[in-house]
């Protein structure tokens, strides 16, 4: 079966930097950082190009050897963070959940091209105004926040400007 992944484009803010791509998901308020390999795989997901063709293109246009299993590892991460339009039917030989250490061992020289996607949840404006973000344990903790002080219940009474 020929798998042709399609990258999600809607409700995303994309910022390309020198060696990584930042993707902010407006629906989930998550920010994702794709290293060069993961970004190149994601950008290749046009719904027309197969996984084998993506690997071939990455090998032809990159410094490191990229095999199909590297592309599958990237696709697994992209799917996990909902950066693909729909889930993929993965081959039986692909082992989802493989740790980076296991992947480095399995990929050998190709590990230099290991795709990495990291993600953080970005606080919404309502969360940013919450007293829970102050995090005072004792009154001295608020010294880090000029103009703020802690109440007996360990919450700051004002927020730094």
């Amino acid at each position: 079966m020929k798998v042709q992944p399609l990258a999600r484009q809607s409700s995303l803010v994309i910022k390309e930097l020198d060696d990584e791509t930042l993707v902010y998901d407006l629906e989930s308020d998550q920010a994702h950082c794709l290293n060069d390999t993961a970004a190149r795989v994601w950008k290749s997901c046009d719904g027309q190009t197969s996984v084998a063709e993506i690997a071939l293109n990455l090998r032809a246009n990159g410094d490191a050897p990229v095999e199909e299993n590297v592309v599958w590892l990237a696709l697994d991460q992209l799917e996990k963070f909902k950066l693909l339009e729909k889930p993929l039917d993965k081959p039986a030989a692909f082992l989802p959940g493989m740790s980076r250490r296991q992947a480095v061992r399995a990929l050998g020289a190709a590990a230099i091209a290991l795709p990495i996607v990291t993600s953080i949840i970005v606080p919404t404006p309502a969360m940013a105004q919450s007293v829970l973000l102050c995090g005072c344990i004792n009154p001295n903790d608020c010294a880090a926040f000029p103009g703020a002080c802690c109440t007996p219940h360990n919450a700051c009474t004002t927020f730094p400007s």
Side-chain angles (χ1 to χ4, degrees):
M1 184 173 84
K2 190 175 183 180
V3 176
Q4 298 169 314
L6 179 60
R8 186 175 140 222
Q9 298 295 318
S10 64
S11 300
L12 299 176
V13 177
I14 302 162
K15 177 71 175 172
E16 293 185 32
L17 304 173
D18 289 338
D19 57 352
E20 61 190 6
T21 299
L22 303 176
V23 180
Y24 179 73
D25 187 335
L26 295 168
E27 292 176 2
S28 67
D29 286 318
Q30 287 188 325
H32 310 287
C33 179
L34 286 63
N35 75 351
D36 185 54
T37 303
R40 289 171 50 208
V41 169
W42 187 59
K43 291 170 194 170
S44 298
C45 294
D46 59 8
Q48 305 296 316
T49 308
S50 72
V51 173
E53 292 167 326
I54 292 171
L56 183 63
N57 292 341
L58 292 179
R59 273 195 304 275
N61 299 320
D63 298 330
V66 178
E67 302 298 326
E68 259 186 77
N69 51 1
V70 171
V71 174
W72 279 112
L73 186 61
L75 292 172
D76 186 55
Q77 292 179 57
L78 293 169
E79 184 180 331
K80 175 183 171 188
F81 293 115
K82 296 180 175 51
L83 294 177
L84 298 177
E85 283 294 331
K86 60 183 181 177
L88 302 173
D89 292 326
K90 296 174 187 72
F94 177 72
L95 300 172
M98 181 185 293
S99 73
R100 286 194 181 108
R101 183 177 298 204
Q102 291 167 323
V104 167
R105 216 175 298 133
L107 297 173
I112 206 164
L114 194 63
I116 299 172
V117 178
T118 55
S119 181
I120 62 167
I121 296 174
V122 179
T124 63
M127 290 169 62
Q129 294 178 359
S130 169
V131 295
L132 297 174
L133 294 178
C134 186
C136 296
I137 303 300
N138 64 57
N140 294 332
D141 291 345
C142 288
F145 300 102
C149 61
C150 290
T151 66
H153 300 291
N154 297 330
C156 289
T157 57
T158 61
F159 287 96
S161 49

